[in-house]
Amino acid sequence: FRTNTTWTQGPIQISWRVDYQRDYDIIKPRNIVTNLDSRDFEYLRVPDFWQHDVSFRYNFNDEITLRGGVTN
């Protein structure tokens, strides 16, 4: 699941992106016998998580724009 929203007011623009990843196995349990990786099974699974990214933009004029943000 991924969604993006942007708010713009005059020269200011703020964007927020949200990404949801459900849990998954790095390796299928049925293949664990053929996997030479010696880690415990609990480390072969990635839990579900939310990722949030925020960015902003400010247009001073047609030639100068300030941009920044945080990407998770």
Side-chain angles (χ1 to χ4, degrees):
F1 169 76
R2 180 182 291 173
T3 188
N4 189 28
T5 186
T6 301
W7 175 78
T8 303
Q9 181 69 38
I12 300 171
Q13 180 179 1
I14 299 173
S15 295
W16 176 42
R17 187 177 100 176
V18 179
D19 186 13
Y20 171 75
Q21 294 285 326
R22 63 176 276 191
D23 61 333
Y24 60 93
D25 295 326
I26 295 174
I27 185 169
K28 299 288 184 196
R30 67 175 180 262
N31 296 335
I32 198 77
V33 174
T34 59
N35 183 10
L36 299 178
D37 194 348
S38 61
R39 289 184 245 173
D40 291 335
F41 183 70
E42 66 186 79
Y43 299 111
L44 299 177
R45 181 169 193 78
V46 176
D48 59 339
F49 64 91
W50 291 88
Q51 178 177 323
H52 302 270
D53 301 329
V54 178
S55 63
F56 71 90
R57 177 184 300 185
Y58 186 86
N59 294 324
F60 289 98
N61 55 39
D62 290 341
E63 297 175 2
I64 300 174
T65 301
L66 175 66
R67 297 183 332 188
V70 176
T71 301
N72 239 343

